[in-house]
Amino acid sequence: MAERMLHVFRNTPLGRETLLQSLHFCKTLSVALHIYIPVSRQFLMYFEHDMIQIDLDASYLISTDNAESHARALAEPFGIKPYFIQPKNYTAAQLPDIPIHFDYMCCPRGIIDLSAKIGLGYIGPKVRRIIKSSIFPILMTSGVYKAWHGITVFYGGSSNAETALRWGVHLSEKSGRPLDLFTYADIRNADRPDARLQASGLWDRVRPLLRTWHKIDQGGFKESLYAVDHDALLVVGAYGHGLLKDFVYGSKMEVIQRWMPNNMLLIGPHCVSGN
Amino acid sequence: MESNAFLKATRAKWAVVRSDDRLLLIALAGFVGAFSGLAAVALNRGLHFMGEVFQDVHHHWWGFLLPAAGASLAAVILSIVLKERAGHGVPEVIYAVSRHGGLLRMRSSFSRLLASCLTIGTGGSAGPEAPVVISGAALGSNIARFFSLKERQRIILVGCGAAGAISSIFNAPITGLVFTVEVILGEWRASNIIPIAIAAVAGTEVSRALQGNQIAFEHQQFVIHWTDTVASLGIVVFATAASLILSYLLRSMHQVAGRTRWPRWLRPAIGGAAVGLIGIFLPLVLGEGYQSIQEMIRGTFTQGLALAALVLAAKIAATSLTLGWGGAGGIFAPSLMIGSLVGVLYYRLLTGFIPAGALTNEGCFALLGMAGMVSGILQAPLTAIFLVVEITGGYDVILPLILVSALTSTSCYYIESGSYYLRDLIEQGQYLRPGTDARVLSDMTVAELVDSGDKPVPGDMLLSDFVRILEHSRRYLFPVEDRTTGDYLGIVFVDRIRPYLFDTHMHAVIMLEQVMDDSVPVVRLDDELVDVLYRMESDGLSALPVVEDGRFVGMLSKATLLDHYRKELIVQTGV
């Protein structure tokens, strides 16, 4: 079955950049693009154990009459025929339920927040909830369209990182783009990621795709991020913690998304393993 | 050491509770019921407070602005601050139970409480039961989510929340239980009833502990004769008519409000201002109207026949304006008042023709009118019977009460097959009745059942090549796709092309796209399985191709569908 991506289209210059990112992703990975043009400020997504109400800012409802033609025009140069989602069910009037049977979803960094916050590095609470509940990865795009030519997986050896690596391998195999690994570990645990990778049985799939494995055990984590290619799609495992848990436990993912302008594919805790 | 032993013992006990679903549900039901009861008490206290604060304001000429301001503020809080949609909430709970395993937003546990407190407290003609139902249900849903309960268990806890809330707000545990099972869940099952009963008890106990064991209306003694039972049959006609008129007006007002271009927060203000204007001349229509109901039950409602009829019409209009224009609140309390007015009017009309001594007093007929109205508007006769019995503390009128409730509910059902709560859901095809195929199948998706093993054959394949595939295959239908684009084209049914298969001269001439059937209906991944089953049966097909984005995904067979249907049925009938 062809993979499918859900994209909530915003008919603005910023929304255009986001859609271009999705189109590039879909083109590179042969993914079908399903676009939802919002008709109201809110919509609901019902996952198996959670429901999320997405509150959009008013810019999502700008010029909805020509949004579809704009989206089609943007998709045409990529050779992609987008499909437009019409909600079938409504929890309340003006509160549609959007289907969730997709393989990817594209989200700007804060789906509820003002566009200005995107440049500041901030993941809105809705995006966190989607990451936490969804069974599909979330493509978080950079502010301006930039094609990516490689895939970098942040791999620290945890089970979440292992799922992210499976997705990274899947994307690399499907797109033919090289795979880089990025591991930041202190010297005492430097061997752990290698051992985990061997134990996971993934090494045989990773080896032919692997271009570089950045193993960094010195300096701060933020400084080490300079090693990551500027034109790579970052694949990062994420727990989808709320602000409070982030405050208590900290979050590598939050640091990465704040410091890296690249496109990111976030793999939440309920994401099924990439093929 | 001691603390370790205590921790171990506690963990062991928790493990026992966690391992037995029924014990866990019972424990959580009490918890949810108590919290829902607290929410109901909070709303009740809030309404009393608002009533005391604003009781003098309505007497001023500008008092009509108060319901407008209250309803508008409620709408602002709901739609702008809390980003909730207006409405009374019960259909939302039913929809969640019917379609999404009882998933409700946490914010729903308090949003409607705030909004209805402002709407009703400032004079809006609505009741508090619907806001507390959604609050309790949302609490139950989120507690179930916190404990990672199964979908079936979550639905029961949603019911527990609703039961606890209704029990608490009316101090009526049986009504809470019956309302939940009859209206919210729609199915009577022992596994549902036990936790819901416990939640109802917990909610009632919380209410009694914090507010005292008070019933809404003072108990009156009625001596019922067979003549009253016979006379009560007439109420059925009046209550049916009043239910239908109220229902029609609610819907009309909602449609009119929906067609306006005014902002959402302004619409309830329009309805509220209109109610305020009515209230200047007829203050009885404002708020819940419990005081007037008490007078009618006591037989001390002094207004004459014409004025009572005017109040009845005004109350129906006020309720339609409040709820139809987007005010937050429920239909129970207005129905009780409208029903009691119907009963009183009917009694007074009747005693114009027959001697008054042949019937008991008009308070009894007020009760019958209340039951008739509630059962008519909700099409839930048991809820109506138990509500009236519990909030009036009287069992004397039970026989005519049963009669009126059952007959009004039936007559309303014949004229309009959906209750006030369900009508919109039914019309939009979003309500799945419990126990129906649609409900069982709604928990499965096409993607779960599709068999992707059948690889499509290209449309330009010659029959000779196809025969070679057929020799090594046990399949009887083959999906066909375009070789270049990969688009799905149709299906080749082996039994339908038999004449060509046995004619070897045709093998090198005919391509599959010439003999395939391209009129077979296709299934999409987001189609409802009940529709798929209907399509299979209407077209006499045992399998249908699943096509998404123009590409063949797999086949969905009736055998697979029915097999999973049976498994799902087992899951849904257990807990």
Side-chain angles (χ1 to χ4, degrees):
Chain A
M1 193 189 310
E3 291 181 317
R4 297 141 50 95
M5 170 180 261
L6 169 64
H7 182 101
V8 183
F9 181 52
R10 170 162 33 182
N11 195 16
T12 62
L14 185 72
R16 180 177 57 197
E17 299 299 317
T18 315
L19 182 59
L20 287 170
Q21 308 274 25
S22 284
L23 286 163
H24 175 70
F25 186 90
C26 290
K27 172 82 176 168
T28 310
L29 293 156
S30 304
V31 172
L33 182 63
H34 290 247
I35 295 176
Y36 173 57
I37 297 171
V39 288
S40 60
R41 291 278 294 273
Q42 283 104 24
F43 65 87
L44 287 172
M45 298 179 84
Y46 284 93
F47 296 99
E48 194 176 350
H49 295 293
D50 196 7
M51 66 183 295
I52 299 168
Q53 179 175 318
I54 308 293
D55 303 309
L56 303 167
D57 63 55
S59 65
Y60 277 89
L61 298 184
I62 289 175
S63 310
T64 47
D65 48 339
N66 61 9
E68 186 172 327
S69 59
H70 278 182
R72 283 188 196 282
L74 288 170
E76 203 175 343
F78 287 84
I80 289 175
K81 183 184 162 200
Y83 300 91
F84 292 90
I85 295 170
Q86 298 296 332
K88 283 185 176 176
N89 295 322
Y90 286 78
T91 292
Q94 301 291 312
L95 192 54
D97 306 344
I98 299 299
I100 58 150
H101 50 265
F102 295 97
D103 300 285
Y104 306 95
M105 178 179 174
C106 177
C107 277
R109 303 231 154 155
I111 207 162
I112 187 177
D113 297 294
L114 298 173
S115 309
K117 283 197 173 178
I118 288 172
L120 300 177
Y122 171 81
I123 297 187
K126 299 296 168 194
V127 179
R128 286 170 188 273
R129 283 277 297 280
I130 296 173
I131 293 166
K132 189 176 179 182
S133 303
S134 68
I135 53 167
F136 44 75
I138 306 297
L139 176 68
M140 282 206 338
T141 57
S142 53
V144 179
Y145 168 60
K146 184 177 181 181
W148 44 268
H149 301 105
I151 293 154
T152 299
V153 178
F154 282 76
Y155 181 72
S158 69
S159 60
N160 235 12
E162 189 180 310
T163 312
L165 181 57
R166 285 183 192 281
W167 275 100
V169 169
H170 169 64
L171 299 181
S172 177
E173 285 174 344
K174 211 170 168 199
S175 66
R177 305 289 161 96
L179 180 72
D180 293 335
L181 295 188
F182 181 93
T183 301
Y184 178 82
D186 60 39
I187 291 179
R188 282 169 300 172
N189 295 322
D191 296 336
R192 185 166 166 258
D194 296 68
R196 289 296 299 263
L197 183 54
Q198 293 288 349
S200 69
L202 269 173
W203 178 241
D204 289 342
R205 283 180 71 194
V206 170
R207 194 171 46 192
L209 305 167
L210 190 63
R211 181 172 62 183
T212 316
W213 189 342
H214 302 282
K215 290 180 182 172
I216 297 173
D217 55 14
Q218 286 178 341
F221 179 65
K222 288 173 186 169
E223 290 89 330
S224 68
L225 291 174
Y226 197 84
V228 177
D229 283 350
H230 66 96
D231 59 349
L233 171 70
L234 312 184
V235 183
V236 185
Y239 290 97
H241 283 162
L243 290 170
L244 192 63
K245 279 192 176 173
D246 264 9
F247 181 73
V248 176
Y249 299 117
S251 167
K252 283 271 198 305
M253 182 273 287
E254 189 66 45
V255 175
I256 294 166
Q257 74 90 14
R258 203 175 295 149
W259 279 71
M260 302 300 295
N262 303 42
N263 288 304
M264 290 174 69
L265 192 72
L266 298 178
I267 314 295
H270 294 113
C271 276
V272 288
S273 293
N275 293 319
Chain B
M1 288 298 283
E2 276 182 11
S3 65
N4 277 347
F6 174 74
L7 275 175
K8 274 185 185 171
T10 311
R11 271 197 212 114
K13 280 177 187 166
W14 173 243
V16 170
V17 173
R18 196 69 180 85
S19 63
D20 188 325
D21 286 347
R22 283 168 197 268
L23 282 179
L24 177 70
L25 268 184
I26 287 170
L28 289 178
F31 191 59
V32 170
F35 270 94
S36 309
L38 273 176
V41 170
L43 179 59
N44 210 12
R45 288 278 166 91
L47 288 177
H48 279 293
F49 173 75
M50 299 276 282
E52 282 170 17
V53 170
F54 294 120
Q55 64 178 349
D56 295 330
V57 177
H58 294 295
H59 302 305
H60 297 285
W61 69 266
W62 46 268
F64 76 95
L65 291 173
L66 188 61
S72 185
L73 188 57
V76 167
I77 289 175
L78 266 186
S79 60
I80 297 173
V81 179
L82 296 171
K83 296 191 167 57
E84 277 262 48
R85 289 293 162 195
H88 44 83
V90 175
E92 207 174 306
V93 176
I94 296 172
Y95 175 77
V97 167
S98 166
R99 286 248 169 206
H100 297 294
L103 281 172
L104 286 162
R105 287 158 289 179
M106 187 59 195
R107 71 182 80 172
S108 298
S109 61
F110 56 88
S111 61
R112 299 305 208 294
L113 290 186
L114 286 172
S116 62
C117 193
L118 288 164
T119 304
I120 306 167
T122 53
S125 177
E129 82 293 334
V132 296
V133 164
I134 192 168
S135 296
L139 280 170
S141 174
N142 283 282
I143 288 172
R145 198 160 61 84
F146 181 79
F147 284 98
S148 306
L149 298 190
K150 289 183 275 188
E151 187 177 305
R152 188 75 215 152
Q153 295 169 324
R154 186 167 58 221
I155 289 174
I156 293 174
L157 282 196
V158 165
C160 290
I166 287 285
S167 306
S168 174
I169 200 88
F170 291 116
N171 188 15
I174 304 176
T175 307
L177 167 67
V178 171
F179 170 81
T180 302
V181 178
E182 194 175 36
V183 177
I184 303 288
L185 303 183
E187 55 183 345
W188 295 86
R189 207 183 285 167
S191 54
N192 291 354
I193 291 171
I194 292 166
I196 291 168
I198 286 162
V201 170
T204 312
E205 284 296 350
V206 166
S207 168
R208 289 180 182 177
L210 297 173
Q211 304 188 121
N213 187 5
Q214 296 168 338
I215 53 172
F217 306 110
E218 203 177 287
H219 174 57
Q220 303 291 315
Q221 290 283 351
F222 299 109
V223 181
I224 303 295
H225 300 289
W226 66 269
T227 47
D228 297 300
T229 307
V230 173
S232 69
L233 292 173
I235 287 190
V236 173
V237 179
F238 283 81
T240 301
S243 300
L244 294 173
I245 291 168
L246 176 61
S247 188
Y248 172 78
L249 282 177
L250 279 166
R251 176 184 279 201
S252 303
M253 292 291 176
H254 189 66
Q255 286 170 348
V256 170
R259 278 198 288 268
T260 61
R261 289 183 172 274
W262 295 324
R264 288 187 175 279
W265 58 267
L266 189 61
R267 293 177 201 168
I270 308 289
V275 172
L277 280 173
I278 297 172
I280 290 175
F281 304 102
L282 293 166
L284 293 178
V285 304
L286 296 175
E288 297 169 315
Y290 281 5
Q291 200 176 337
S292 305
I293 298 172
Q294 181 68 73
E295 286 175 10
M296 285 185 262
I297 295 171
R298 249 193 244 133
T300 56
F301 189 70
T302 52
Q303 279 75 6
L305 187 69
L307 189 58
L310 189 63
V311 173
L312 172 65
K315 185 67 182 174
I316 290 176
T319 306
S320 313
L321 285 163
T322 302
L323 296 178
W325 279 77
I331 196 77
F332 266 37
S335 296
L336 290 175
M337 178 154 175
I338 293 166
S340 55
L341 283 163
V342 166
V344 166
L345 276 171
Y346 174 69
Y347 176 84
R348 290 182 184 178
L349 280 172
L350 206 60
T351 49
F353 300 103
I354 60 169
L359 302 170
T360 187
N361 71 22
E362 68 179 25
C364 163
F365 282 81
L367 295 188
L368 298 179
M370 286 158 68
M373 191 70 198
V374 172
S375 62
I377 205 92
L378 302 187
Q379 295 185 9
L382 290 177
T383 302
I385 294 166
F386 286 107
L387 177 69
V388 172
V389 165
E390 285 193 298
I391 63 177
T392 59
Y395 194 73
D396 315 328
V397 291
I398 190 74
L399 293 182
L401 209 60
I402 294 172
L403 203 62
V404 169
S405 298
L407 292 178
T408 311
S409 173
T410 308
S411 57
C412 284
Y413 177 78
Y414 274 110
I415 297 167
E416 275 194 339
S417 61
S419 72
Y420 168 65
Y421 293 144
L422 296 181
R423 198 175 312 111
D424 286 347
L425 292 174
I426 290 171
E427 277 184 4
Q428 291 156 12
Q430 297 184 343
Y431 179 59
L432 306 173
R433 289 187 191 280
T436 58
D437 291 347
R439 178 70 168 268
V440 177
L441 291 170
S442 71
D443 280 355
M444 296 179 282
T445 62
V446 172
E448 287 168 15
L449 307 189
V450 65
D451 178 6
S452 310
D454 295 346
K455 296 294 170 218
V457 288
D460 57 1
M461 177 184 270
L462 285 170
L463 207 54
S464 52
D465 298 328
F466 181 66
V467 168
R468 277 194 287 278
I469 293 175
L470 207 56
E471 279 172 0
H472 302 99
S473 173
R474 301 174 75 176
R475 290 156 57 187
Y476 63 96
L477 47 83
F478 290 80
V480 182
E481 68 177 9
D482 188 303
R483 191 188 292 272
T484 48
T485 64
D487 287 348
Y488 165 82
L489 297 175
I491 294 275
V492 168
F493 291 91
V494 174
D495 56 342
R496 292 187 196 173
I497 62 164
R498 201 165 282 161
Y500 304 106
L501 293 176
F502 288 109
D503 186 350
T504 49
H505 298 295
M506 306 295 271
H507 283 194
V509 181
I510 287 184
M511 290 189 289
L512 289 183
E513 60 193 8
Q514 294 173 285
V515 292
M516 72 183 184
D517 186 345
D518 58 1
S519 64
V520 178
V522 297
V523 176
R524 292 195 55 198
L525 285 174
D526 56 356
D527 280 351
E528 305 261 353
L529 281 171
V530 69
D531 297 333
V532 175
L533 190 59
Y534 176 76
R535 250 177 274 166
M536 284 176 174
E537 285 178 354
S538 62
D539 292 4
L541 293 168
S542 57
L544 288 176
V546 179
V547 176
E548 194 66 27
D549 309 335
R551 304 294 176 94
F552 175 77
V553 176
M555 295 299 295
L556 179 58
S557 75
K558 197 172 177 180
T560 308
L561 203 157
L562 293 177
D563 186 39
H564 280 78
Y565 171 88
R566 192 177 57 81
K567 287 176 186 163
E568 185 63 31
L569 195 63
I570 293 167
V571 171
Q572 289 196 15
T573 48
V575 177

